[in-house]
Every structure is written in C-alpha cells, then in structure tokens.
Amino acid sequence: MTAPHHVTVNDAHGPVNNGTGPQYVFYGARTVRGSRRNAESLRIVREDRLYLADRFAPPGNYRVAAARLEKPGSVVLLDAQPGTGRRAAAIMLLHQLGEEDETDEEDVRFEEIPARDESKNEDGEPTAPGAGDRFLLDLSRIVDEEAYAEAQRRLAGLRSQVQEAGAHLVVVLPSDMAHAHPPELAPHTVTLERPRGIAVITRHLRMHRTPFDSEDLKRPDLQPLYDRYPMRELARLAGLVETAHQSGRYGADFASWLSQALHAVTDRAAEVGRQVNAARNAPQRALLLAAAVFEEAHADTVHEAWRGLLRTVGHEEEETTELERIDFGQRLTALGIERDPDGRLRFKRLAYAEAARTYFWANFPGLRDALAEWIGMASGLPGLATDDRVTIAVRFGERALATGRPDQLFGLAVRWANGATGATADARAVAILELGLRHEEFGSWFRRRMYDCLSSTSLEDGFVRVLTAACVRGLASTHPDQAVVRLRHLAVRDGEAARAAGEELFGLVGADRRLYRLLIDRLRDPVRRDSSAAGTSLQLLTELLKSDRVPDPPRWPDLFLGWETVFSQPPTKLWDPLVRSWLDTVAGDRTRDMALDVMVGATHGRTIALHRLYAIACDWAGAARDPARTAVAARLWQHIDQAQYARTDRTRRAGHGPRTTEEAS
C-alpha cells in the first residue's frame, strides 16, 4: 500500500475531498423524510383503487371537493350521510388527483391514517408527510365526543404537516357530530349529496359484463332501493345479479336474474326467520346451520359436520336405529337444499346460505362459543379440500367479526397453527388473520394482537409460519411498515420457521427502497445498543446488505449506514459473503464501482476493518485468476490505501493525543 500525494486543508468548515476520485457526502446518510413523529398509516393498494375507479359514481358536489384538493398542502373535509359512498368518494378524490402523475409510488405515498393512534409501543417511528403524498383520515365510525375531540387534536397536527410538506389530505367527518365540528374547519368542508342509485347499479353491471338494457333498471320496485339503500348494498345487488346469471339456475334473461337478486337483498332474512321458527327441533335447525356453513361441500361431509354440531351443543342421540330415522335426503329436501351430480350440497334460493348464517349468529348469541368450538373441529374433516376448509373458516370469521368477537378468530388461528404438521402454514389460520387485518373495525385489534404475540418466548413454529404468511399476504399490502416490524421480530428468533420469516422479510423490502431503509434502521438499533438481539440483528443486517438483496438502483447512503454498523463490530466470517457479493457485482457491472468507495468509507479508517477487507479481496481475486477480478481488487486496495493514509495524516496533525484501543493493539 503506497501513500499518494495529497493536499492539506486547514480550518475546513465543510466537506473536503482530500485525495483522488469523486467525493460522496452523505451527512450521516439521513435520506428519509423528516423524523417528526406521525400517526401510523396504512397503504391504500393501487389495485383496489383501480377496481373502485371502474365502478365509482360521483356524488353531488364531488367536483367542488376535487377542485379544492388540487393545490399542494390542501386539506378537504367531507360531510355526508352514511350510505352515500363517502369513503369511496374520499379515496377517489385522492386517486384521481394523481391519475396523470407517473411518479413512482415508492416516493409518493397513498395511505390512510387510522382514526385512533395505533403507534403506542410500536417498534420505531413512521416518517412524516412529503411533497405530493396523499392521505385519507376516515372519522366516520366515531360516535362519541371524547373520541372525536382526540381525533381533532391529531387532525390539527396532521394538517400542519400536510400543509408544510405540500401533501394532500381528505377527511371523512362523522355524520352525527355536526355540533362538534370546529368552526375553523368550515372553509375546508364540502357536503356531498347521494349519488344516483341507477348510475351505481349501471356501472357495476357493466364492469361485471352482465347483459342488460337501460330500460331493465327502470322497474318501479327498484326506485326505493335507489333512493334509500346504502351504496354497498346497491353494489351487492349488482353482484347477485351476476351470480344468478353465471349460475345458469335462475332463468335465461335479465328480468329473472334481477328478480332473484331482489329477493336475496330484500326478503331473505324474513324467509330464514320463518323457516327456523317452523323447524322446532334441534336436528332440523342444526342441519340448516351446518348446510349454510358447509354449502358446496360433499353431502357426506355435511352429514358428519351436522352430527358434530349436535354433539357440540349437547343434543342427545336418538335412540332409534339409523334405518328407522328420516333419511338424510328427505331432511335436505324439506329444508330447500339440493344435491348436485357431484354430491355437493347447495340451497335452491340465491344467497340463502349467507342469510341463514347471519340469522343464526344474530339470534342465538348463547351458541357462539359452541359454534367456534364446532368450527375448530369440523373445518378439519378429512372430506374437505384445502379450499373448502379456508372457505368455511372465512364464513365463520365473517360472522364472528359481525358479532364483535375477534378473540374467537384469533384463538382459532392459534389452535390451527399449533396443530399443523410440516413446514407450511395452516391455510385456515392465515385466511382468518387476513380477514381480521382487512376489517374496518377490528383491523387495528388484529395488528396489535399480532404485535403483542411477538414478546412471547414460546411461540411454536406453526404459529410463527402463520404470522409470517399473514404479514406477507395481508399486512404488507396495507401496513408495509408494520409488516416489516413484525417480520423482523419473527426473524430474530431461533428455528427454521424464523429463518423462513427472514427470507420473506428480505423479499418484501428488496422491492421497496423505503422499506429497505426502514429495515436497516431497525436492525442497526439493537446492534448499537448491544441488546440481547444484537447478534441475530447483526447477522440479518449483514445478509440484508449483500448485493442480491439490494433494491435497484442502490441508495448508497442507506448502504453506507448498514455497512458502517457491520464494520464497527469485530470482523467475523459474516463479512466474507457480504464483501464478496459486492466484489462480484462490481466485476460484472462497472456502474456499481461506487460500492467500493462507500464500503471502505463505512469503516471510518479503522485499521482492523480495512485489513479484513484487504484480506477478503486478496482471497477473492486470487481464487479465479480473472483480469476483471484483479482490476476490481486493485481499485478496492486503492480506496483502502487512501483511507489508511487519511487516518495516519489525521493522527499526525492531532499531535501526541492518546492512542485509541485499536491503535494500541
């Protein structure tokens, strides 16, 4: 290693390039947006917005709100009655604001701010708004003044950040709190009017590609629905029309499909109530419920599930023999259930099974715990395929959430996960966690419950796999930051399931530069604090920094931070694959040459680190006798020479100050 010619600069007040080659100034490599604390946010997935945009019918005064939102730093508050599609309007205002913007969504965020603060005790702080970011704050579910007052305090801080950054914010106001709206928000408030119901139905039918004529939608019995039904129910009506059309069981023209769909929307609950009241004995009611939950399963499986339900609720077995009882086919026919040629069961009337499930959960509250126990066992019956099991679990999950029992879902997820064998996550457990994470009311409950589980030292591998899958398949699409946090906690544990969580974590952040930087920060922290997780975190960080894990193109300041942490620790075998991966990359792509300079700079001239880099490069270059490798190694050695000379020069100019421990050794 030779000492190059140099220039000495005295009393510098800024970055100085003392040597050959370009200068890279990172200023601590803080490239993320401001560090001020901000409410945790969730991503509104682009695919969902595009789906909504195809079906969206603008409400009255929508254009007024859109015009107000155009200016950077603008805040628009929407006041509307429930059922008018106010949340959909808020999402569309933000979506259409950026419709012509080709900016990468990694740089411009489109996220929802939860109505209540979820960030307490969360591991790390979200970033503040940036220019062009788009945010939704939906306060429509707030029903008490105390919660609304807290939301207003959070809104005041968020407004300030949005205006300062040049972002955009749409707020959906609670409909029954007009007396509590702050007067200073009045100039930013737009009152939306109900969209035309026929326009909503028309757009949905067209997107379903259902054949119809505009005159078909002018029936007198549709007008009350257009005038009063919530937008989601009009969308459901259109979906049921398409279901009737596709099934081929409800006629061959639009009028027949529409009539079936109207009955399903308006009459099914009353029909189920009449049937349940007519079926006075437990076996009949139990079969109705079992068929509703297991619809489309094979008849033999439904029979087994039915008998299991009777045992679960404590019904005494009939003393007569099987041959003396009413046969199973007659029981099914009496309840309006038919068996197709493949032996699978379904109700004759459209959407009847869904209405039956809703009725039983709403009107037999004392059975809900028993039903959870029954589902826990019956969804694993051997006659069910994996898709059937998932469908049954989701049907139960929908009812449990509708009746305010998220704890039942989470308990079943743990039970199924821990009972699984093999190296795959239980599909039922993953499905109901995803269902809970997507739920408007209980999504935050599931996110918090998952986070709380991470503090347990006794998570079984099966549950680790389920949590990993739920993070990747569910949480990552809406709460990517929280998914990274939870996967990191899973990845630092011991065992094969934890290693699989690490691989999923690397895959998630490798496609998103912001998440990649977030993970670097999370892994650096325990290493710098020398916490109990320091060793595992350092190992994960070293793996994360390999060239094949880095988003393309690399952000050198982020890599500098990560390498700085790795090279601040004593050299280990972990360094070899990390450094070699980047030497391979530079040998194959000269545009990555900057990696050599940044890597050496991250050592801050520490002799032991530089010597280790030098030794790795020598072994790497000598192993292949490749001219390209020799050239890369030579360039790395040059950077090492410069770093060593700079350190020696600083020491000489510092006089006879005390030597560091490293120098003394």
Side-chain angles (χ1 to χ4, degrees):
M1 301 182 189
T2 57
H5 296 292
H6 67 282
V7 176
T8 300
V9 179
N10 297 314
D11 195 26
H13 294 281
V16 175
N17 185 359
N18 185 18
T20 60
Q23 178 184 24
Y24 310 110
V25 182
F26 295 141
Y27 291 106
R30 299 301 302 178
T31 61
V32 295
R33 296 179 180 130
S35 60
R36 294 168 296 172
R37 188 156 186 86
N38 179 34
E40 183 62 79
S41 54
L42 63 101
R43 182 183 295 170
I44 302 176
V45 185
R46 179 173 175 79
E47 289 75 13
D48 293 345
R49 299 187 333 245
L50 293 173
Y51 179 91
L52 178 59
D54 288 337
R55 294 156 177 80
F56 179 65
N61 291 329
Y62 179 84
R63 295 188 183 279
V64 175
R68 293 190 184 182
L69 192 64
E70 287 181 352
K71 182 180 177 182
S74 55
V75 177
V76 172
L77 295 91
L78 302 182
D79 192 11
Q81 290 301 307
T84 56
R86 50 193 172 167
R87 178 181 171 86
I91 294 173
M92 283 299 96
L93 283 169
L94 294 166
H95 174 73
Q96 293 173 350
L97 180 70
E99 218 169 16
E100 305 301 324
D101 187 2
E102 299 298 326
T103 307
D104 191 335
E105 289 203 3
E106 289 181 6
D107 300 313
V108 174
R109 296 152 65 196
F110 193 126
E111 297 175 348
E112 179 174 356
I113 307 298
R116 291 177 173 81
D117 188 3
E118 298 180 18
S119 59
K120 295 175 182 177
N121 301 320
E122 191 68 48
D123 158 287
E125 297 184 358
T127 55
D133 286 349
R134 290 166 275 166
F135 296 99
L136 166 66
L137 177 60
D138 187 353
L139 306 179
S140 62
R141 300 185 69 89
I142 291 180
V143 295
D144 64 88
E145 295 190 15
E146 183 178 349
Y148 189 36
E150 179 186 349
Q152 288 176 23
R153 288 191 290 271
R154 295 180 63 223
L155 174 58
L158 184 59
R159 280 181 62 205
S160 175
Q161 292 185 17
V162 164
Q163 290 169 348
E164 180 182 338
H168 306 268
L169 171 66
V170 177
V171 182
V172 181
L173 296 173
S175 59
D176 297 325
M177 293 281 178
H179 62 282
H181 294 341
E184 65 270 18
L185 296 181
H188 305 282
T189 302
V190 176
T191 301
L192 297 182
E193 298 173 355
R194 182 181 176 86
R196 294 174 60 241
I198 193 170
V200 175
I201 290 283
T202 298
R203 296 207 57 154
H204 279 82
L205 290 173
R206 284 177 177 167
M207 292 311 301
H208 288 311
R209 299 185 183 278
T210 306
F212 74 101
D213 189 275
S214 59
E215 293 299 316
D216 293 329
L217 299 179
K218 295 179 180 179
R219 290 171 38 165
D221 53 350
L222 285 174
Q223 195 59 48
L225 277 67
Y226 295 155
D227 295 339
R228 296 193 300 270
Y229 264 45
M231 296 301 108
R232 62 180 175 275
E233 286 299 313
L234 294 180
R236 178 169 175 261
L237 174 63
L240 288 171
V241 171
E242 176 58 13
T243 299
H245 168 220
Q246 292 293 341
S247 72
R249 300 165 56 209
Y250 302 105
D253 55 50
F254 184 83
S256 300
W257 308 327
L258 179 57
S259 293
Q260 283 291 327
L262 278 172
H263 282 299
V265 168
T266 59
D267 301 333
R268 287 293 181 255
E271 289 180 41
V272 172
R274 289 191 294 270
Q275 185 174 28
V276 171
N277 287 328
R280 290 294 182 180
N281 63 66
Q284 281 183 293
R285 290 181 173 182
L287 180 55
L288 180 62
L289 176 56
V293 174
F294 282 74
E295 187 180 36
E296 300 292 343
H298 194 276
D300 290 350
T301 303
V302 177
H303 182 275
E304 192 173 352
W306 169 50
R307 305 306 296 180
L309 175 57
L310 287 172
R311 289 191 296 271
T312 301
V313 299
H315 178 72
E316 295 291 336
E317 188 75 22
E318 296 180 41
E319 295 182 1
T320 58
T321 66
E322 183 79 17
L323 286 174
E324 293 177 287
R325 302 171 193 166
I326 301 173
D327 71 61
F328 191 52
Q330 284 183 292
R331 293 181 185 271
L332 294 174
T333 301
L335 294 174
I337 303 168
E338 59 186 16
R339 192 175 348 200
D340 69 17
D342 294 331
R344 291 181 174 267
L345 300 186
R346 60 190 176 192
F347 286 86
K348 294 179 181 179
R349 284 164 285 189
L350 181 66
Y352 198 84
E354 180 184 355
R357 294 192 297 269
T358 301
Y359 183 90
F360 274 100
W361 257 269
N363 293 287
F364 292 88
L367 284 180
R368 290 171 189 163
D369 288 336
L371 293 177
E373 180 66 24
W374 170 60
I375 290 292
M377 296 182 295
S379 63
L381 289 173
L384 296 170
T386 299
D387 287 348
D388 295 329
R389 295 179 180 185
V390 169
T391 298
I392 291 161
V394 169
R395 287 171 180 168
F396 167 77
E398 290 170 346
R399 293 300 93 219
L401 293 176
T403 52
R405 294 297 304 272
D407 55 304
Q408 287 186 338
L409 258 67
F410 204 87
L412 278 179
V414 175
R415 172 179 170 179
W416 288 331
N418 291 340
T421 57
T424 58
D426 187 282
R428 296 168 298 174
V430 176
I432 60 175
L433 286 187
E434 287 186 80
L435 180 69
L437 289 168
R438 292 195 305 268
H439 197 268
E440 276 191 46
E441 182 178 356
F442 293 112
S444 61
W445 187 96
F446 279 88
R447 293 190 289 272
R448 175 56 52 194
R449 189 72 182 85
M450 288 172 62
Y451 185 77
D452 291 343
C453 286
L454 301 175
S455 61
S456 172
T457 58
S458 58
L459 288 186
E460 295 188 24
D461 274 6
F463 193 45
V464 170
R465 292 189 183 96
V466 165
L467 290 175
T468 298
C471 284
V472 173
R473 288 168 41 179
L475 195 59
S477 63
T478 57
H479 290 67
D481 294 39
Q482 290 193 23
V484 168
V485 167
R486 284 151 182 75
L487 286 171
R488 183 190 71 82
H489 279 290
L490 294 170
V492 298
R493 307 175 78 90
D494 296 326
E496 185 59 37
R499 285 189 285 276
E503 287 299 319
E504 294 287 2
L505 175 60
F506 294 146
L508 174 61
V509 303
D512 188 314
R513 292 191 294 273
R514 187 181 68 84
L515 295 181
Y516 186 82
R517 168 56 189 272
L518 173 67
L519 181 56
I520 287 177
D521 288 344
R522 295 298 189 271
L523 293 174
R524 290 176 69 226
D525 187 57
V527 176
R528 290 179 296 176
R529 291 187 289 105
D530 195 26
S531 72
S532 58
T536 312
S537 296
L538 181 63
Q539 185 173 352
L540 287 171
L541 179 61
T542 307
E543 182 67 26
L544 175 68
L545 296 169
K546 289 171 62 177
S547 62
D548 59 342
R549 304 284 192 192
V550 177
D552 188 28
R555 283 182 174 169
W556 301 112
D558 297 348
L559 291 173
F560 176 87
L561 276 180
W563 285 334
E564 179 185 51
T565 302
V566 171
F567 297 150
S568 69
Q569 305 299 305
T572 68
K573 292 289 186 182
L574 290 174
W575 290 27
D576 290 40
L578 167 62
V579 176
R580 286 173 178 269
S581 73
W582 280 100
L583 294 175
D584 286 338
T585 296
V586 174
D589 184 356
R590 185 62 187 268
T591 65
R592 297 291 189 260
D593 211 55
M594 187 177 180
L596 306 178
D597 192 10
V598 177
M599 190 181 299
V600 171
T603 67
H604 292 291
R606 282 183 286 270
T607 302
I608 190 170
L610 291 173
H611 284 179
R612 183 61 183 164
L613 291 182
Y614 184 81
I616 294 172
C618 287
D619 289 344
W620 174 80
R625 297 186 180 277
D626 181 354
R629 286 195 172 199
T630 302
V632 171
R635 294 198 296 276
L636 179 65
W637 297 335
Q638 183 181 27
H639 289 303
I640 292 173
D641 281 350
Q642 292 170 355
Q644 287 190 317
Y645 183 81
R647 181 183 177 92
T648 302
D649 189 53
R650 288 196 303 272
T651 302
R652 185 182 68 251
R653 286 188 281 111
H656 299 286
R659 293 184 297 170
T660 65
T661 302
E662 183 181 293
E663 289 169 341
S665 61

